[in-house]
Amino acid sequence: GQQVMQIPQYQHVQEGEDFTTYCNSSTTLSNIQWYKQRPGGHPVFLIQLVKSGEVKKQKRLTFQFGEAKKNSSLHITATQTTDVGTYFCAPPNQAGTALIFGKGTTLSVSS
Amino acid sequence: DAGITQSPRHKVTETGTPVTLRCHQTENHRYMYWYRQDPGHGLRLIHYSYGVKDTDKGEVSDGYSVSRSKTEDFLLTLESATSSQTSVYFCAISSTEFYGYTFGSGTRLTVV
């Protein structure tokens, strides 16, 4: 079935370092969303990207949608301990009925 | 998040028993979804609903059924629980088909 691949699966950084997670699809996507799940919590919607080459920023977070709309990335500048959690990308499924979620990238930050 | 609640939050049940999980929303959103989350698998779609009495299967629907008799409630039933259904179950809602799901706090189900 349709899948999205997220890399890396895990990432540990020192506080203040940058972090990037990548999401790749074999098919062209109409849009892609990003979610964050804190340890023990539930996924929380961060952003949606729709246009080819789109770049959106939320404070220290930068989201990009590839020109071919087959990949996306989330970059965090100068990580903080509050950034700890798992980040999921989520495009619509092929049927266009619901979101499918990547397996996520789990970020840990040491101070 | 305010506006969506899942019950129970935790449940332990025995193999072979039926189990029903409830998702209740006060947002009047049309779309509701059930996902399960397991280590190494991310979130996988079980069933979804696009309106009262309108439901359809997701990628891992075997062994599960759903019902939506009112806009605000979406029930997930495990017809005969198995150990492979031990998981964390999340309900999500959205006002439009794809934009910005709001997730409930989840139900941790253990089948022994």
Side-chain angles (χ1 to χ4, degrees):
Chain A
Q2 181 187 7
Q3 287 187 342
V4 285
M5 302 299 295
Q6 272 191 262
I7 53 172
Q9 188 175 1
Y10 301 99
Q11 181 79 58
H12 176 80
V13 299
Q14 293 287 120
E15 191 172 22
E17 293 181 337
D18 292 356
F19 160 77
T20 303
T21 174
Y22 300 91
C23 181
N24 299 301
S25 171
S26 57
T27 59
T28 302
L29 305 172
S30 60
N31 68 84
I32 193 162
Q33 299 180 28
W34 285 90
Y35 290 76
K36 175 184 178 181
Q37 184 177 23
R38 295 181 186 273
H42 57 275
V44 174
F45 172 70
L46 294 177
I47 208 159
Q48 182 185 48
L49 304 171
V50 178
K51 299 177 183 176
S52 169
E54 189 170 17
V55 178
K56 287 188 176 181
K57 293 188 176 184
Q58 290 180 349
K59 297 183 180 178
R60 295 178 294 104
L61 277 61
T62 301
F63 302 86
Q64 289 190 308
F65 202 8
E67 294 289 342
K69 300 182 75 173
K70 288 186 174 183
N71 54 72
S72 181
S73 66
L74 159 59
H75 179 81
I76 302 178
T77 304
T79 55
Q80 300 176 358
T81 55
T82 53
D83 296 323
V84 164
T86 301
Y87 293 85
F88 294 97
C89 63
N93 59 14
Q94 286 184 323
T97 53
L99 297 178
I100 59 168
F101 285 77
K103 293 183 180 181
T105 295
T106 299
L107 172 66
S108 59
V109 180
S110 54
S111 56
Chain B
D1 283 36
I4 177 171
T5 55
Q6 290 185 235
S7 58
R9 291 295 312 277
H10 302 271
K11 185 171 182 67
V12 179
T13 192
E14 293 186 348
T15 299
T17 60
V19 178
T20 296
L21 309 183
R22 182 186 185 220
C23 179
H24 178 77
Q25 60 141 332
T26 58
E27 304 295 325
N28 201 35
H29 285 345
R30 177 181 176 186
Y31 300 93
M32 300 185 76
Y33 311 85
W34 278 107
Y35 287 85
R36 60 177 289 175
Q37 185 172 36
D38 305 289
H41 289 278
L43 290 144
R44 293 181 290 174
L45 181 67
I46 306 171
H47 280 279
Y48 62 97
S49 171
Y50 41 97
V52 173
K53 297 186 179 177
D54 287 326
T55 65
D56 210 340
K57 296 178 180 180
E59 61 182 306
V60 291
S61 60
D62 287 349
Y64 302 94
S65 62
V66 290
S67 67
R68 192 170 178 199
S69 58
K70 299 183 291 184
T71 298
E72 56 265 36
D73 288 325
F74 192 30
L75 304 180
L76 176 70
T77 297
L78 288 65
E79 295 144 7
S80 177
T82 68
S83 58
S84 65
Q85 293 176 312
T86 292
S87 187
V88 179
Y89 291 86
F90 286 103
C91 175
I93 62 174
S94 65
S95 56
T96 61
E97 199 156 10
F98 291 122
Y99 188 77
Y101 286 11
T102 300
F103 281 83
S105 298
T107 294
R108 183 173 295 275
L109 177 68
T110 303
V111 183
V112 298

